[in-house]
Amino acid sequence: MSGDKTTITVDRDVALRCSKLARELGIPLQKLASDALRIVEEVMKDGGNATDLVLTWRCVKSITTVDTATLPINILLKIFEDLEPGKYVTDFYTSGKEIGVAMSNEITFADLVKRPYILKTLIPIRYANSKETESEITITLAVPSYVKKLMPLISAYIRGILDAYGYTQHKIDIKEHIIEIKIYKYIQT
């Protein structure tokens, strides 16, 4: 750490919480603040923001409460090459629901809708977007085109996550490598 110092102004409640945390961790407040600023600087240079960082951390933290393994998608494809993926739809739904319960303790559904790319920590997403109207939410996910065989499993996994959040009125459409999720805000009659 450089001996040079500068003064910045932050909200009082943030300063008090950081001072308390630094004491609890047994580190100087200057180190805590400098480390935090370095991390946020790196995230923002890459086009993110502090909220993105917090939500990604919460997602990672929540999935560690469940036994998970991050595997490259090509390994999953090889595993399922000789198997019938349809046999595992229920297992993927159950796993999605388990992860969804853990995530819902850390990330609100509103934050998940605003930043659907958070799902990238769980499934292979190349693009994510959401649109909300009075009656429904549409989340569009683009996955690599070579995962077509796994689409029923990915859909089941997403259904489990949505159900865990309490959004059981939804429809998932698959077109090539695009997953379109429509979540209905009100029960349809």
Side-chain angles (χ1 to χ4, degrees):
M1 205 177 323
S2 164
D4 294 340
K5 295 180 183 182
T6 191
T7 302
I8 60 171
T9 304
V10 297
D11 293 338
R12 182 167 174 70
D13 64 318
V14 172
L16 292 172
R17 287 194 318 264
C18 287
S19 291
K20 180 181 177 197
L21 179 60
R23 279 192 309 275
E24 290 170 358
L25 296 174
I27 61 173
L29 177 58
Q30 181 181 355
K31 177 172 177 24
L32 179 81
S34 294
D35 288 351
L37 288 171
R38 277 188 208 94
I39 292 166
V40 171
E41 174 194 22
E42 183 174 337
V43 169
M44 293 184 89
K45 272 199 269 188
D46 289 340
N49 61 49
T51 302
D52 296 339
L53 181 61
V54 169
L55 292 173
T56 302
W57 170 245
R58 287 179 181 171
C59 187
V60 169
K61 189 168 64 168
S62 67
I63 64 175
T64 61
T65 65
V66 180
D67 294 331
T68 59
T70 304
L71 295 172
I73 200 70
N74 62 335
I75 291 175
L76 282 176
L77 285 167
K78 286 182 182 186
I79 291 169
F80 284 104
E81 203 170 82
D82 299 325
L83 301 173
E84 177 54 47
K87 289 181 184 177
Y88 302 97
V89 167
T90 302
D91 296 319
F92 272 69
Y93 170 83
T94 303
S95 293
K97 195 162 185 182
E98 189 176 356
I99 291 284
V101 167
M103 283 179 59
S104 68
N105 291 318
E106 296 287 338
I107 301 170
T108 68
F109 190 73
D111 282 333
L112 191 60
V113 168
K114 280 188 224 168
R115 294 173 173 83
Y117 58 81
I118 293 169
L119 294 171
K120 189 172 178 66
T121 59
L122 306 172
I123 54 179
I125 298 173
R126 297 255 170 99
Y127 170 82
N129 190 21
S130 65
K131 187 173 99 177
E132 190 168 356
T133 67
E134 262 187 51
S135 60
E136 68 184 31
I137 299 163
T138 303
I139 299 175
T140 305
L141 307 173
V143 298
S145 57
Y146 59 85
V147 302
K148 190 173 184 175
K149 188 172 184 176
L150 298 178
M151 292 299 251
L153 302 176
I154 293 170
S155 294
Y157 191 70
I158 292 169
R159 277 191 180 89
I161 291 169
L162 294 174
D163 287 357
Y165 271 95
Y167 287 86
T168 58
Q169 300 294 317
H170 53 265
K171 178 181 174 189
I172 298 178
D173 287 322
I174 299 170
K175 297 171 189 138
E176 295 299 315
H177 65 283
I178 304 295
I179 302 170
E180 187 176 84
I181 308 158
K182 288 204 181 290
I183 305 158
Y184 303 103
K185 294 181 178 179
Y186 309 103
I187 297 175
Q188 295 177 327
T189 56

